[in-house]
Amino acid sequence: MTDRDDLDMLAAEFVLGTLDARERASVAMRRHSEPDLEALIVAWEQRLGPLAEEVVPVAPTPGLYKRIEQKINALEEKQARSTHDDNDRVISLHKRLRRWQWSTALASASAMMLMAVLIFQPTQEQGPQSFVAVFQENDQQPAFMLSVDLTNRQMHIRPVTAEPMQGKSYQLWIKADSLGPNPRSVGVLNENLKLDRTALRSYDPELLKEATFGISVEPEGGSPTGQPTGPAIHGYLYPTLDGESGQQL
Amino acid sequence: MPEPFSSSTTHRAGSGPDLPPLPASATELGHLLQRVATGDRSAFAKVYEATVPKLLGTVLRILNNRGWAEEVVHDVYIKIWQKAGQFDAGKASPITWMVTIARNSAIDELRKQPARGRAPEEELEQVLSTEPNAQSRLEDQQTVNRLNLCLEELEKDRRDMVRMAYLNGWSRVDLATHFDQPVNTIKTWLHRALKQLKGCLSP
């Protein structure tokens, strides 16, 4: 008997239902990562499916649908609440962030003031992979907002109160432990204060979640040294739900 | 291998004039599932109406306990609500997709709590007395007939094993007890029966 036959019989018994709990759980797990196994299972479901024809239909008790609907309502409320909780987490992260930004970041890079970053991680496993960082100037108004979608590694930076400056450029930096002690340039914002949406594409999503971002003011065209040289704007966390510009935390 | 479920909407006439009308054709159910995937509650209610007797019948036959079966069917419809977007009409008919979710859930529950509410020997008469398929309501009659012909070609014990397992959720161990054979022998018999079925069903 070949391995292929063994796999086919495993699929057949999974569909037939004769495996024990442990074997069933193992096949249920494996089918997600083994397309061959998945295809064999689907083929057996097609072969044996007509057997279900002889099942005699049974009317449910009248309250069953209502219970199902109530459960769906409860699940949807829970989901809405957990989105709200995420926003609370963003706010609580803020304190930790501020402490951090003035110690670690400043200590490691002399000429620059890397500002902060944010980025929050949704608690829902299947939740959105969207993160937002707000860059604050003078602790007053947000200067820029950066949103990052980890699923397709697209980023979008938009100025809030920041204005183009004559003879100067804004430059976006990323800093993460795995990238070494120094910030790395993500790119120089153009005259409309925009940056290519794919500028973060080469970074691993896990790294992006941990990374710190900063925006510094540089000579026109970007830093001549490869490191931030000018004053930096610092970051601040904002909720994403009612997170339009200008809301003070 | 041909798509066995692809024409299930077109064979209603072949089911005979005596049968009650289909609750919903496969095509209608497929469209309803697409709406369910977008969060459409009224489509979900229609899917439920059309399919719950079949799914409850499927689960009840495996679990043999009404209250337990309704608990499982409850969870099955939650899964259908959540996974409707994964339904792929190219892989299965809507009813087959839903019955598969129901059977998998029922068998998983039964394997977790084998002692809850069932008495395999008492079911036996029902299994053996049911003629292999009387009616076709939600599936293509030709596909059903084809499987039945192939089942008829199996030795009686092998045919009974396949039906007891598929319809009543019997495990290898349950079958070994009933046939008074070692579990490994049952496994060998099952594999032979399944291969023979596969060969018979292949074009």
Side-chain angles (χ1 to χ4, degrees), chain A residues 52-226:
Chain A
E53 276 304 300
E54 71 180 75
V55 168
V56 180
V58 177
T61 52
L64 182 58
Y65 186 69
K66 185 138 254 154
R67 295 207 301 278
I68 291 167
E69 264 203 313
Q70 284 166 350
K71 178 70 176 182
I72 290 173
N73 289 340
L75 287 172
E76 294 193 337
E77 277 167 32
K78 190 174 158 200
Q79 192 161 5
R81 257 201 317 279
S82 113
T83 306
H84 181 76
D85 289 347
D86 283 341
N87 292 330
D88 291 347
R89 285 184 68 221
V90 173
I91 294 165
S92 69
L93 268 175
H94 162 230
K95 281 186 186 153
R96 201 174 79 200
L97 171 66
R98 303 257 303 171
R99 218 172 30 244
W100 183 91
Q101 76 192 61
W102 293 108
S103 53
T104 322
L106 278 188
S108 63
S110 57
M112 80 166 205
M113 316 208 340
L114 225 226
M115 42 4 65
V117 160
L118 54 354
I119 291 246
F120 80 95
Q121 180 168 5
T123 48
Q124 292 272 109
E125 262 178 56
Q126 300 294 328
Q129 292 285 291
S130 296
F131 298 80
V132 62
V134 178
F135 298 89
Q136 197 90 352
E137 196 165 29
N138 305 327
D139 284 341
Q140 295 292 322
Q141 293 291 314
F144 290 93
M145 290 183 66
L146 168 69
S147 55
V148 180
D149 181 346
L150 288 187
T151 51
N152 57 15
R153 295 187 220 183
Q154 294 267 312
M155 54 152 274
H156 178 66
I157 189 152
R158 81 178 167 97
V160 182
T161 58
E163 304 269 353
M165 284 186 286
Q166 193 71 35
K168 300 278 186 188
S169 292
Y170 291 101
Q171 189 161 2
L172 178 67
W173 306 86
I174 182 171
K175 185 173 179 298
D177 289 346
S178 55
L179 297 176
N182 296 324
R184 192 176 286 189
S185 175
V186 175
V188 178
L189 278 58
N190 67 18
E191 59 213 33
N192 298 319
L193 306 187
K194 297 287 184 195
L195 194 56
D196 181 359
R197 295 180 73 95
T198 63
L200 292 171
R201 196 174 46 191
S202 60
Y203 293 96
D204 180 71
E206 288 308 310
L207 180 152
L208 291 176
K209 283 189 202 171
E210 304 294 333
T212 298
F213 295 90
I215 295 176
S216 64
V217 178
E218 301 291 340
E220 195 163 15
S223 163
T225 68

Side-chain angles (χ1 to χ4, degrees), chain A residues 1 5 8-10 12-21 23-25 31 38 40 42-65 67-69 71-73 75-76, chain B residues 4-5 41 44-45 48 52-54 56-58 61 66 70 73-74 77-78 81-82 91 100 103-104 107-108 111 130 132-133 135-137 139 143-144 147 151 162-163 165-167 170-172 190-191 194-195 198 201:
Chain A
M1 185 184 278
D5 280 340
D8 193 38
M9 284 298 108
L10 187 67
E13 277 206 82
F14 177 75
V15 174
L16 190 61
T18 41
L19 301 178
D20 65 30
E23 291 170 309
R24 284 185 64 77
R31 67 186 294 184
E38 172 68 22
L40 292 170
V42 170
W44 277 105
E45 284 169 352
Q46 291 186 337
R47 283 184 198 110
L48 298 178
L51 265 170
E53 276 304 300
E54 71 180 75
V55 168
V56 180
V58 177
T61 52
L64 182 58
Y65 186 69
R67 295 207 301 278
I68 291 167
E69 264 203 313
K71 178 70 176 182
I72 290 173
N73 289 340
L75 287 172
E76 294 193 337
Chain B
F5 303 130
R41 289 282 185 99
F44 181 67
Y48 174 86
V52 70
K54 182 76 177 182
L56 181 56
T58 301
R61 184 146 173 190
R66 176 84 188 209
E70 291 211 352
V73 166
H74 172 278
Y77 278 94
I78 301 297
W81 170 256
Q82 292 171 328
K91 283 186 177 176
T100 299
R103 281 190 68 248
N104 281 335
I107 292 170
D108 285 341
R111 294 289 170 270
T130 312
N133 184 52
Q135 56 178 6
S136 172
R137 302 180 61 195
E139 288 291 6
T143 309
V144 175
L147 178 64
L151 280 167
V162 169
R163 297 179 63 244
Y166 191 89
L167 293 165
W170 286 27
S171 67
R172 286 179 194 154
L190 280 172
H191 287 191
L194 289 163
K195 283 179 188 164
K198 184 182 178 184
L201 288 166

Side-chain angles (χ1 to χ4, degrees), chain B residues 48-97:
Chain B
Y48 174 86
E49 286 287 316
T51 56
V52 70
K54 182 76 177 182
L55 266 51
L56 181 56
T58 301
V59 172
L60 184 57
R61 184 146 173 190
I62 290 168
L63 299 180
N64 232 14
N65 173 316
R66 176 84 188 209
W68 192 13
E70 291 211 352
E71 283 171 34
V72 169
V73 166
H74 172 278
D75 294 348
V76 165
Y77 278 94
I78 301 297
K79 285 180 197 161
I80 290 169
W81 170 256
Q82 292 171 328
K83 294 175 157 186
Q86 296 171 24
F87 166 67
D88 180 351
K91 283 186 177 176
S93 73
I95 191 66
T96 299
W97 182 71

